[in-house]
Amino acid sequence: MTLPGGRTAEGLPLLPLKLMTAMQGLIVAGYLGLLLGGTAEIRPGVLTTLLMLLPAIAVIPGLWRGHYKTMVWAALFDLFYLLVAATDAWAAPADRGWHLLIAIAATVGFLAAWWHSIRRRRLLKSGRR
């Protein structure tokens, strides 16, 4: 539930969640770029790419609405994307740019979730709700 003025139900700014939404979009763009423009000999096929994109696409509506539980799931998915992208960047140097794009987007998304969680915990701890 979002309140007017770009704030969550707790009164926190929506900026970190919007940033996470943008990073999920970059992750999707990175995997589509890898599928369509990748040059490595070994790269994911259509089915593997679709399976990799499902978590990133599934969390976008909840992030856009400012749901905290969706943000936690998106942060966990970002850690997974970071792990896979870092491994693939090392293993397939021909597509390193796409993998680094995914890794950077996942890192920024996770840091935005961390920032939002710290602010939320401080707000709840102070008793201002």
Side-chain angles (χ1 to χ4, degrees), residues 40-42 84-96 99:
E41 293 178 20
I42 300 173
V84 171
T87 304
D88 287 345
W90 184 265
D95 289 335
R96 190 165 284 156
H99 294 298

Side-chain angles (χ1 to χ4, degrees), residues 2 4 16 23 28 33 36 39 42 52-53 56 65 67-69 77 80 86 88 95-96 110 112 120 122:
T2 59
M23 293 304 110
V28 169
L36 301 174
T39 58
I42 300 173
M52 290 295 289
L53 292 179
R65 291 186 196 109
H67 295 173
Y68 180 73
K69 289 183 182 179
F77 292 145
F80 171 72
D88 287 345
D95 289 335
R96 190 165 284 156
F110 179 77
R120 184 175 189 266
R122 286 181 185 164

Side-chain angles (χ1 to χ4, degrees), residues 33-84:
L34 193 62
L35 177 69
L36 301 174
T39 58
E41 293 178 20
I42 300 173
R43 54 180 206 269
V46 175
L47 183 60
T48 306
T49 302
L50 288 176
L51 289 174
M52 290 295 289
L53 292 179
L54 282 177
I57 293 170
V59 297
I60 289 176
L63 285 174
W64 193 253
R65 291 186 196 109
H67 295 173
Y68 180 73
K69 289 183 182 179
T70 307
M71 189 266 311
V72 172
W73 278 105
L76 292 173
F77 292 145
D78 283 344
L79 288 176
F80 171 72
Y81 287 127
L82 176 61
L83 173 75
V84 171

Side-chain angles (χ1 to χ4, degrees), residues 18-42:
K18 302 296 183 184
L19 183 61
M20 286 185 71
T21 305
M23 293 304 110
Q24 297 300 318
L26 267 178
I27 289 171
V28 169
Y31 274 108
L32 289 176
L34 193 62
L35 177 69
L36 301 174
T39 58
E41 293 178 20
I42 300 173

